[in-house]
Amino acid sequence: MLGLLGLALSLVLDLRAERAEWDRLAALQPEEPELFDPEMVTDLPEPAQRYFAYTIRPGTPLLPVAVIKMTGEFSLESKDDPKYRRMEARQILAAPEGFVWAMRMRGGVPISGSDSGSWTRFRVFGLIPVARQGGDPDHTRSAFGRYVAETAIWAPAALMPGPGVSWSTVDEYTARVTITHGELEQAVDVTVNPEGRPVEVSFQRWSNANPEKVHRLQPFGAVMSDFREVGGYRLPFRIEAGNMFGTEDYFPFFLADVIDIRFPGAQP
């Protein structure tokens, strides 16, 4: 009985921490955002200019904090035998400060929990811990890479040029955005098509998703499709992402269909 009470108390404390972090990030949305003007990005590499021209309509409030709800499939297995399971999740992105991704997996043994810049916490049957990590430099660095890349997918306003954000040219269709936050730094390549629609993001992620379970830099990336307009932004509603992106070992373990995107504090 005491063990069960301890698990219940741990769950309550984790949910309280998740709510507090979510609220902290949502409060970072500017109350009086600037409006997007293409002149703001004329000094950027040409692919970056096309990226912003496609994803943000002129006159749109620049809202860097985004909330995304999604369904889809997620694999905890391998490329050879992925055993995809249905999942639903909600996420808040507030680069460079942080993110929270709260997920529930359906089918088989139910798994639920959340990722953030500070933790990874998942449970089976809503109570029994099966993953509890975070609070160390490896986790922080890995999480930072993830949410910077996802910002390029769903929150382009957070990548406007300014302190801590710089852009450089990779090639005719790819620009590299580098985000610096304290001691953390992450570069992400954004590839666009001729009209500026982003088709993929890729980066070197600090990860231990390898047979040796050793943290090291390795390729990660995502492919985007099904773009729709949301409050002046054109954003993807279909994402496929995984480890070893761009290699023969690429494994898309994350297949998401977005059902809603909103910007906390935005005027209706």
Side-chain angles (χ1 to χ4, degrees):
M1 179 61 74
L2 289 177
L4 186 60
L5 289 174
L7 289 175
L9 177 60
S10 174
L11 174 60
V12 169
L13 294 175
D14 285 352
L15 291 175
R16 185 177 299 171
E18 180 184 308
R19 182 73 260 174
E21 178 66 356
W22 189 288
D23 291 345
R24 182 185 77 86
L25 298 175
L28 296 174
Q29 193 80 283
E31 294 183 3
E32 297 182 1
E34 292 185 86
L35 303 182
F36 178 67
D37 184 335
E39 292 295 320
M40 294 174 171
V41 298
T42 54
D43 291 335
L44 297 186
E46 198 273 337
Q49 293 184 48
R50 281 188 280 145
Y51 164 77
F52 284 112
Y54 183 91
T55 58
I56 312 178
R57 300 287 191 187
T60 298
L62 291 171
L63 299 168
V65 181
V67 171
I68 307 100
K69 292 183 180 179
M70 64 190 76
T71 61
E73 295 180 309
F74 193 90
S75 173
L76 295 170
E77 305 298 331
S78 66
K79 177 180 179 179
D80 294 334
D81 188 18
K83 293 187 174 68
Y84 288 106
R85 294 175 57 183
R86 295 297 301 172
M87 66 89 180
E88 56 187 40
R90 62 190 186 101
Q91 174 166 288
I92 186 167
L93 287 171
E97 288 289 335
F99 83 111
V100 176
W101 183 70
M103 182 269 286
R104 187 179 302 274
M105 192 178 294
R106 306 295 189 182
V109 177
I111 298 174
S112 60
S114 64
D115 280 330
S116 81
S118 300
W119 69 73
T120 292
R121 299 170 181 160
F122 287 92
R123 291 177 164 84
V124 296
F125 301 110
L127 199 61
I128 304 169
V130 291
R132 195 170 185 87
Q133 305 166 14
D136 61 83
D138 286 329
H139 182 277
T140 299
R141 184 177 178 183
S142 180
F144 186 68
R146 168 184 171 170
Y147 69 82
V148 167
E150 291 182 355
T151 296
I153 296 172
W154 285 308
L159 302 183
M160 291 289 291
V165 181
S166 63
W167 286 86
S168 59
T169 302
V170 176
D171 57 37
E172 181 182 1
Y173 293 105
T174 303
R176 177 170 297 159
V177 60
T178 301
I179 304 294
T180 303
H181 183 58
E183 296 182 353
L184 297 170
E185 182 176 279
Q186 181 67 56
V188 173
D189 290 352
V190 181
T191 300
V192 300
N193 69 4
E195 66 174 328
R197 177 172 62 83
V199 294
E200 66 180 43
V201 297
S202 59
F203 65 108
Q204 291 294 312
R205 185 178 184 186
W206 189 248
S207 172
N208 66 347
N210 51 64
E212 296 75 27
K213 299 301 179 184
V214 173
H215 277 92
R216 62 191 181 211
L217 289 174
Q218 55 189 45
F220 193 98
V223 175
M224 299 165 278
S225 59
D226 189 17
F227 280 73
R228 306 179 194 179
E229 184 153 340
V230 181
Y233 295 88
R234 281 196 285 188
L235 304 172
F237 275 60
R238 174 68 179 177
I239 302 294
E240 172 192 290
N243 295 298
M244 308 310 294
F245 189 80
T247 78
E248 62 181 14
D249 296 320
Y250 172 53
F251 172 37
F253 65 85
F254 177 74
L255 308 173
D257 293 301
V258 172
I259 57 177
D260 183 61
I261 302 174
R262 63 183 180 85
F263 301 91
Q267 295 297 318

